[in-house]
Amino acid sequence: MVLIRRFEERTEEQYTRARIGGYCHLAIGEEAATVGAVDPLGDHDYLFASYRDHGTALAVGSDPGAVMAELFGKAAGVAGGYGGSMHLLDVERRFLGGWGIVGGQLPIAAGAALALDYTGSDGAVLCQFGDGATNTGAFHEALNLAAVWNLPIIFQITNNLYGMGTSVAMASGETELWKRAAAYEMHGERVDGNDVLAVHEATTRLLTMARRDRRPSLLETCTYRWRGHSVADAGKVYRSADEIAEWRTRDPIARFEHQAIEAGTLDVGDVSELRREVDATVTEAIKFAAAAATPTVANLYDNVYGDPGTAAQFARMDTAGPFGERRETRGWRT
Amino acid sequence: MADVTYREALRLALDEELARDPNVFLMGEEIGRFEGSYKVTAGLWKKWGPKRVRETPISEEGFVGAGVGAAMLGLRPVVEIMTVNFILVAMDMVVNHAAKVSQMFGGKVKVPMVIRTPGGAGAQLTAQHSQSLEVFFAHTPGLKVVSPASPADAYGLLKSAIRDDDPVLFMENLVLYNLTGPLDTTAGDGAIPIGVAKVVREGGDITIVSHSYTVRRCLTVADRLAQSGIEAEVIDLRSLRPLDVDTVIESVRKTSRCLVAEEGWATFGISAEIAARVHRACFDDLDAPVERVGSAEVPMPYAKSLELAAMPLEEKIEAAARGLLAECGVL
């Protein structure tokens, strides 16, 4: 959580220095909802996320340098500089992506759960998305499919109270979003998303339910994003300063720090040491990203198709094609 | 070599691919107990069971997306959309997701998925059930689009599509399902490579390019032209993305005349793309600009008289061919 917080603070700073382009959605304030849910995942479990995915990538254990390099648009990035902030992934850790269309990853995550079921795997899928996604058709179709097919999946709503600037109250007929599970005879529950231990406990329990009982579930983790929707949004015109200030008093990191020190699992020295280490890690990640090479233009057409036979197929499309295509044929991998 | 229907050829390819690779499975509305809205999957649910032939609710966005996710984990889903008209509610999954995964994630994950779906008009199905929308997908990098016109091509291209590591839109045609043609299942496994057009009739006077059911119409037109002493070369594109321009160019360089016919709307259509390519590559070879025929640019009306008037039937294609030949001083 400390790593995510620091990474995001420095990401914001790097964005203002124009070293990061495009959209950039920060997860500051939502660390517990992310970490508490990702941490219980096992070796056979898969993870999907929305475009607010920096924290997810770090929580799953992706190298912070490779994540920052992706934000910088470098070839050493987790997606080779083709994906950017919204499309992080880590196939080795079974994190199959940050996805950019609100709600779009839900049916895909259901399909991953279908594949686990099909192959007899004992794994499950955790699919994270925001409150805004619960009003899309994809949300309802995915939940229904998961229920009808008994898929091993947890749908996790990271409810930060706003889809861009539209509040849950303005957007949803039922503002207790977990209750929507009932429409699919699915287990639903709501936990304090700023309490990492509560999220951890709930996710662990729901993972067992998914893996062992083949029962999907809907987990609502209530939290708050301290920053705007993206770096381009100050986040102040659609919510009050008082509201933001109040939520900042519920800082998930300070809360866990307090819990851990009370319990004697950490002392103040440990916390300071951790913060120093995290600072160094993030600084190192930025240095790595800044020094990394940009993708070469010769690779512009890489990976548009993944089939080895594609180059031969497309070679016959070359004749008199538009300029881009002629380049394309030469650049395709064989 | 037995004659089979286009439908039977598709079913045979599905059956053989289900047998060949345990990761292949079918998914779609009514494809199981109901045996498919157009009976392509008849018997397969009974033979392979509900795991390999998965019936879905009416949730195109949901199950096309589930196909993407299953493919990302290494399965090879063959998703049936009852007709292409219904794919519009799943466009986000096809264009924004399936087509993007490979490149957007730096080549680290693939989507080996096939979406089979029929298009076409002619049965008074009216505006919302009579469209030919393949151009939407042919426009999109990351997708492949094939559109076989014969049973043998349906069989061979479906096998290749299933084995391909990229998302493939497999465009069928409602009228084609009952049409028959030879299918030789004795020579190899019959897979036909994606991206190769086929000269289905040779001739030296005019090149007629088309795909899917329109190829059959063009062959009829070629026979009629032959009665006037005109030998038309008919090219079946078979694949729209990748598009085999080479075969078209080679033919036009020989005939100097080119007509493109399609069942979709010609504006921004397949014929627009072919015309642009031919004009660029064969500018000095052409006796006249490329001519095009498509559906009337209206939503398909119900009344039979109006439907027939809207469709690019043989008479329209023939008139366009004769007009082009007249423009060139032939006929």
Side-chain angles (χ1 to χ4, degrees):
Chain A
M1 288 198 288
V2 175
L3 173 62
I4 295 172
R5 175 70 56 90
R6 192 66 192 134
F7 187 94
E8 294 290 61
E9 287 168 350
R10 298 294 308 273
T11 292
E12 189 174 31
E13 166 204 304
Q14 297 299 310
Y15 191 91
T16 58
R17 292 183 57 189
R19 291 170 116 177
I20 298 171
Y23 295 137
C24 188
H25 311 86
L26 304 176
I28 296 175
E30 303 180 8
E31 295 88 349
T34 303
V35 172
V38 171
D39 189 68
L41 295 177
D43 290 343
H44 301 132
D45 299 326
Y46 283 80
L47 174 61
F48 290 78
S50 72
Y51 46 79
R52 197 177 304 283
D53 59 353
H54 309 170
T56 308
L58 296 173
V60 85
S62 298
D63 170 37
V67 174
M68 191 61 85
E70 188 61 36
L71 305 191
F72 276 46
K74 299 298 182 71
V78 294
Y82 290 87
S85 163
M86 298 188 284
H87 308 302
L88 304 174
L89 87 163
D90 190 331
V91 172
E92 279 170 35
R93 293 177 174 82
R94 295 163 309 286
F95 167 37
L96 291 188
W99 297 80
I101 306 296
V102 173
Q105 74 272 31
L106 277 82
I108 293 173
L114 186 162
L116 292 176
D117 203 45
Y118 187 98
T119 56
S121 163
D122 59 359
V125 174
L126 173 69
C127 180
Q128 302 182 320
F129 50 92
D131 45 273
T134 65
N135 297 315
T136 67
F139 168 87
H140 294 280
E141 292 195 16
L143 262 69
N144 187 53
L145 290 180
V148 168
W149 292 341
N150 303 310
L151 299 179
I153 184 167
I154 302 172
F155 294 103
Q156 184 197 358
I157 309 167
T158 303
N159 182 356
N160 62 21
L161 294 180
Y162 294 88
M164 290 190 77
T166 304
S167 69
V168 170
M170 286 174 64
S172 300
E174 170 57 76
T175 55
E176 292 193 46
L177 302 175
W178 65 276
K179 289 184 177 173
R180 292 186 167 185
Y184 307 103
E185 293 251 328
M186 186 185 287
H187 172 83
E189 70 180 81
R190 171 184 257 191
V191 299
D192 181 346
N194 280 2
D195 181 347
V196 70
L197 297 177
V199 177
H200 194 281
E201 183 280 323
T203 311
T204 304
R205 188 162 34 76
L206 298 179
L207 275 172
T208 301
M209 198 169 90
R211 294 180 191 131
R212 194 186 58 199
D213 309 333
R214 319 311 284 176
R215 283 181 63 205
S217 59
L218 180 65
L219 174 65
E220 180 181 4
T221 48
C222 299
T223 182
Y224 197 77
R225 78 171 137 69
W226 291 12
R227 296 295 196 268
H229 166 70
S230 69
V231 177
D233 163 34
K236 289 174 180 164
V237 293
Y238 50 85
R239 51 189 196 177
S240 70
D242 286 351
E243 181 184 296
I244 298 170
E246 193 200 326
W247 275 97
R248 288 179 75 116
T249 66
R250 305 181 202 169
D251 180 355
I253 295 177
R255 181 166 171 179
F256 180 66
E257 203 176 301
H258 181 72
Q259 284 170 331
I261 290 170
E262 285 279 297
T265 45
L266 284 177
D267 64 30
V268 178
D270 293 335
V271 174
S272 308
E273 176 60 24
L274 177 68
R275 288 188 188 282
R276 269 194 301 277
E277 280 173 23
V278 161
D279 277 350
T281 300
V282 177
T283 299
E284 203 51 46
I286 293 168
K287 270 190 200 160
F288 172 79
T294 51
T296 56
V297 174
N299 297 117
L300 175 61
Y301 294 99
D302 281 6
N303 303 316
V304 176
Y305 295 91
D307 190 276
T310 293
Q313 291 173 7
F314 276 80
R316 300 167 72 88
M317 196 158 167
D318 194 304
T319 310
F323 175 65
E325 190 179 294
R326 277 200 290 261
R327 292 284 300 275
E328 200 166 30
T329 335
R330 285 204 295 273
W332 259 314
R333 290 186 321 166
T334 48
Chain B
M1 197 184 292
D3 268 16
V4 299
T5 64
Y6 189 91
R7 171 187 293 112
E8 287 162 348
L10 290 169
R11 186 185 305 143
L12 187 60
L14 290 172
D15 190 35
E16 289 179 5
E17 289 302 291
L18 282 164
R20 185 188 60 80
D21 182 352
N23 285 331
V24 172
F25 73 103
L26 316 185
M27 182 160 57
E29 294 158 359
E30 308 294 354
I31 67 167
R33 294 167 182 84
F34 194 84
E35 304 202 308
S37 186
Y38 295 99
K39 307 301 172 197
V40 171
T41 56
L44 296 180
W45 182 83
K46 266 188 193 146
K47 177 171 179 181
W48 294 103
K51 178 180 167 187
R52 307 293 301 282
V53 181
R54 184 178 288 262
E55 300 164 305
T56 69
I58 304 171
S59 300
E60 286 86 358
E61 181 177 14
F63 67 77
V64 171
V68 175
M72 287 174 73
L73 264 68
L75 299 185
R76 291 187 176 267
V78 182
V79 177
E80 177 177 309
I81 300 281
M82 196 179 285
T83 81
V84 74
N85 308 280
F86 311 152
I87 207 170
L88 297 179
V89 293
M91 280 303 266
D92 184 50
M93 285 300 140
V94 181
V95 176
N96 251 335
H97 293 82
K100 305 294 189 277
V101 166
S102 176
Q103 188 252 21
M104 184 170 87
F105 291 132
K108 303 210 162 135
V109 58
K110 297 171 184 174
V111 181
M113 173 173 71
V114 176
I115 300 175
R116 292 181 38 243
T117 187
Q124 286 187 279
L125 300 176
T126 321
Q128 295 184 326
H129 292 78
S130 300
Q131 301 174 98
S132 295
L133 303 176
E134 46 269 42
V135 68
F136 288 9
F137 308 102
H139 181 63
T140 305
L143 300 177
K144 295 180 183 176
V145 184
V146 297
S147 60
S150 72
D153 284 348
Y155 174 81
L157 283 168
L158 183 51
K159 288 194 161 193
S160 292
I162 291 171
R163 298 170 195 182
D164 201 288
D165 286 341
D166 293 307
V168 180
L169 256 294
F170 192 90
M171 295 300 311
E172 299 166 9
N173 182 292
L174 295 173
V175 185
L176 280 173
Y177 283 140
N178 286 331
L179 298 185
T180 57
L183 179 66
D184 183 2
T185 52
T186 58
D189 78 351
I192 292 170
I194 292 172
V196 184
K198 186 179 180 184
V199 177
V200 291
R201 186 189 193 283
E202 288 188 13
D205 297 323
I206 181 172
T207 300
I208 304 180
V209 183
S210 62
H211 69 280
S212 194
Y213 183 62
T214 310
V215 173
R216 298 241 179 177
R217 294 192 176 116
C218 291
L219 285 169
T220 304
V221 169
D223 286 345
R224 291 184 191 168
L225 292 173
Q227 290 166 14
S228 304
I230 297 294
E231 290 305 324
E233 183 142 297
V234 179
I235 294 177
D236 176 0
L237 292 170
R238 299 203 291 190
S239 166
L240 302 176
R241 187 179 192 93
L243 182 69
D244 178 2
V245 184
D246 275 357
T247 297
V248 177
I249 299 302
E250 197 182 321
S251 174
V252 176
R253 288 199 170 129
K254 180 174 74 177
T255 64
S256 306
R257 295 151 203 146
C258 181
L259 166 69
V260 194
E262 63 180 313
E263 196 165 320
W265 298 298
T267 300
F268 301 99
I270 305 296
S271 59
E273 184 62 34
I274 296 289
R277 304 293 188 110
V278 169
H279 284 138
R280 185 75 181 79
C282 306
F283 192 72
D284 295 328
D285 303 294
L286 287 168
D287 283 354
V290 175
E291 186 59 277
R292 301 195 281 150
V293 179
S295 277
E297 308 235 349
V298 296
M300 187 58 77
Y302 169 70
K304 195 68 194 171
S305 57
L306 295 177
E307 182 183 53
L308 289 173
M311 290 174 65
L313 301 178
E314 288 79 353
E315 291 67 29
K316 271 191 195 167
I317 298 170
E318 185 182 351
R322 287 183 182 278
L324 177 61
L325 289 160
E327 194 180 345
C328 299
V330 189
L331 283 179

